[in-house]
Amino acid sequence: MNNIGIYVHIPFCASKCKYCDFFSKSGNDDEINRYVSAVNERLAKYGKELNRTADTLYIGGGTPGIIGADRLSSIAKTAKFAFMIDDNAEITAELNPASADESFDFSKLRQAGFNRLSIGMQSANNNELKRLGRLHTAEDVKTTVLSARKAGFKNISLDLMLCIPEQTKESLAHSIEYCAELGVEHISAYILKIEEGTPFYKEKDALTLDEDTQAELYLFACEKLEQLGYHQYEISNFSKNGMESKHNLKYWDCDEYLGVGCAAHSFINGKRFYTERSFDEFYKGITYQDGEGGSIEEYIMLRLRLAKGLTQKDFKRRFGIEIPENYIKNAKKFAKTNLLIYDDNGIKFTRDGFLISNTLILEILSGIG
């Protein structure tokens, strides 16, 4: 059987950003210790039950860095033993510059097997960071990256947010150039979504950039990143050659993964299941079934997020048949537009297509329009 990916959710943050709707809270040492112990127990339990090997481990949040290098290392050690994760695996920790200051022990992470960091920069403009409710500055990002490099990290990703209120092409260009000057290997560039229940939602009408401006900033970012040596391999992800996120590619390739922690989702042995946004339910081991996974429709939906798109070769390898003709027929309707490319290799979206990918995917799968 194929290797799975492991995702661990750390739901602790120093404060809530104005746009964030992820499950997170502040926590004291006792709460954090209890949670980490429960994560390690669950990893060990799943390791015995599933008897599977893994080749990626991703610890996300929340702010994983806030629990410290020792606790992160203990989780990595447990996961490596439980799922026979070897030294060639991709092992990632998410960090925020505010929680990974000069006192953070990056060397301890390297010793524990971590070889990739995903750092929540969002912007290199301090006024934009303040607007988002971030606790760090652009200089803090630089300090974090340099400290990680000194400890031996050779694979670093920075998060970049697009369409921040009052963001301009000039300010966005500065953020992108800042990433490139730091020499990071990977950049995730997400369009800001204002979610219900967040502080931003209360003022959403005044904050939301119009669709034309959003499209303009997205396309500008894609072009600028490419000019600086970061190729686009997914709607929101860019990397130097060979430095794509192996863990995230599992999601888009519809491969299997195990999620551990509050609000974590899993796809194992063809079944999807998840843990609620509840500490009590996580500690009790309560999970909920979320139906079958890995269908043809789901695979198509996920693969069309990738720049290489849905290929006949990969589809036939997985399902033993060619892409069904009704989906090809629906895609061909858009072949004369600048939204997607259809040829003998398969179907892939252009950057303009990525901007309305949800609509296009719906029309390809259902034939609307």
Side-chain angles (χ1 to χ4, degrees):
M1 299 182 82
N2 292 336
N3 290 317
I4 64 172
I6 308 292
Y7 173 79
V8 175
H9 187 73
I10 304 297
F12 299 105
C13 276
S15 68
K16 197 88 164 175
C17 296
K18 295 177 181 178
Y19 56 86
C20 179
D21 76 330
F22 290 150
F23 179 68
S24 62
K25 61 164 285 186
S26 59
N28 58 40
D29 274 348
D30 288 342
E31 289 176 311
I32 292 172
N33 285 335
R34 183 186 181 191
Y35 187 83
V36 171
S37 293
V39 164
N40 285 333
E41 288 172 11
R42 201 63 46 80
L43 284 168
K45 179 175 179 286
Y46 275 126
K48 291 176 182 176
E49 290 177 357
L50 298 176
N51 193 28
R52 298 284 295 273
T53 58
D55 59 1
T56 67
L57 169 63
Y58 192 106
I59 303 183
T63 308
I66 206 170
I67 72 172
D70 286 327
R71 294 184 182 109
L72 289 171
S73 297
S74 78
I75 293 171
K77 181 179 179 181
T78 303
K80 286 170 75 174
F81 181 78
F83 294 92
M84 294 170 280
I85 301 174
D86 64 28
D87 293 337
N88 296 318
E90 179 189 87
I91 302 180
T92 306
E94 281 185 355
L95 300 173
N96 280 341
S99 63
D101 57 21
E102 291 173 318
S103 66
F104 189 87
D105 197 340
F106 287 97
S107 295
K108 189 160 283 184
L109 286 191
R110 283 293 296 123
Q111 291 164 13
F114 287 92
N115 49 28
R116 185 175 184 273
L117 297 176
S118 179
I119 300 171
M121 182 184 87
Q122 313 309 350
S123 172
N125 301 282
N126 288 335
N127 62 317
E128 291 177 358
L129 290 171
K130 188 174 181 180
R131 190 75 179 88
L132 291 169
R134 304 293 287 181
L135 300 179
H136 68 270
T137 65
E139 190 61 31
D140 292 332
V141 175
K142 183 177 181 180
T143 300
T144 302
V145 170
L146 293 179
S147 296
R149 293 293 195 207
K150 190 175 180 181
F153 279 93
K154 297 178 181 178
N155 191 356
I156 297 176
S157 177
L158 291 178
D159 284 349
L160 183 63
M161 191 159 281
L162 311 179
C163 306
I164 298 169
E166 298 161 26
Q167 188 177 54
T168 64
K169 281 186 180 178
E170 290 72 26
S171 69
L172 179 54
H174 172 67
S175 291
I176 293 170
E177 288 163 1
Y178 196 81
C179 295
E181 287 166 6
L182 289 174
V184 297
E185 288 72 27
H186 187 282
I187 297 170
S188 295
Y190 300 100
I191 293 176
L192 171 64
K193 289 184 179 178
I194 298 179
E195 305 283 1
E196 193 170 352
T198 65
F200 266 1
Y201 189 77
K202 297 174 184 175
E203 46 179 329
K204 67 180 189 307
D205 293 335
L207 294 178
T208 306
L209 300 178
D210 64 82
E211 287 185 3
D212 288 344
T213 302
Q214 287 190 21
E216 196 175 346
L217 288 172
Y218 174 78
L219 295 173
F220 172 79
C222 292
E223 291 165 12
K224 183 75 174 175
L225 285 161
E226 187 172 328
Q227 289 169 8
L228 292 172
Y230 296 91
H231 78 273
Q232 184 175 22
Y233 70 96
E234 192 267 346
I235 291 177
S236 302
N237 285 274
F238 306 77
S239 74
K240 293 183 177 179
N241 287 334
M243 304 306 287
E244 299 88 352
S245 168
K246 294 177 183 176
H247 182 81
N248 286 339
L249 280 170
K250 286 188 181 293
Y251 301 141
W252 302 315
D253 283 334
C254 210
D255 290 339
E256 295 188 320
Y257 55 90
L258 173 70
V260 174
C262 300
H265 288 248
S266 302
F267 172 39
I268 296 289
N269 297 329
K271 305 287 186 183
R272 294 193 178 276
F273 57 95
Y274 65 95
T275 304
E276 272 289 359
R277 295 181 166 210
S278 163
F279 283 89
D280 287 342
E281 293 199 5
F282 171 59
Y283 292 143
K284 291 175 183 176
I286 299 171
T287 59
Y288 296 87
Q289 296 302 311
D290 202 19
E292 304 284 327
S295 67
I296 284 176
E297 290 77 13
E298 185 179 61
Y299 179 81
I300 290 173
M301 178 185 69
L302 292 168
R303 285 301 297 260
L304 285 173
R305 290 185 59 92
L306 294 173
K308 72 175 183 178
L310 176 68
T311 68
Q312 286 283 11
K313 181 181 177 182
D314 290 337
F315 190 91
K316 194 164 188 177
R317 184 188 299 123
R318 185 177 184 111
F319 296 104
I321 59 173
E322 293 189 342
I323 301 168
E325 184 57 36
N326 58 316
Y327 300 138
I328 296 291
K329 183 180 177 182
N330 293 338
K332 280 182 177 178
K333 295 176 186 176
F334 302 96
K336 293 181 180 179
T337 69
N338 190 39
L339 298 174
L340 64 76
I341 296 168
Y342 166 74
D343 56 26
D344 291 342
N345 295 320
I347 306 163
K348 62 182 180 181
F349 292 164
T350 63
R351 284 173 179 161
D352 285 309
F354 279 151
L355 280 166
I356 58 167
S357 60
N358 290 340
T359 300
L360 285 177
I361 289 169
L362 180 64
E363 297 200 359
I364 289 170
L365 292 178
S366 65
I368 296 170

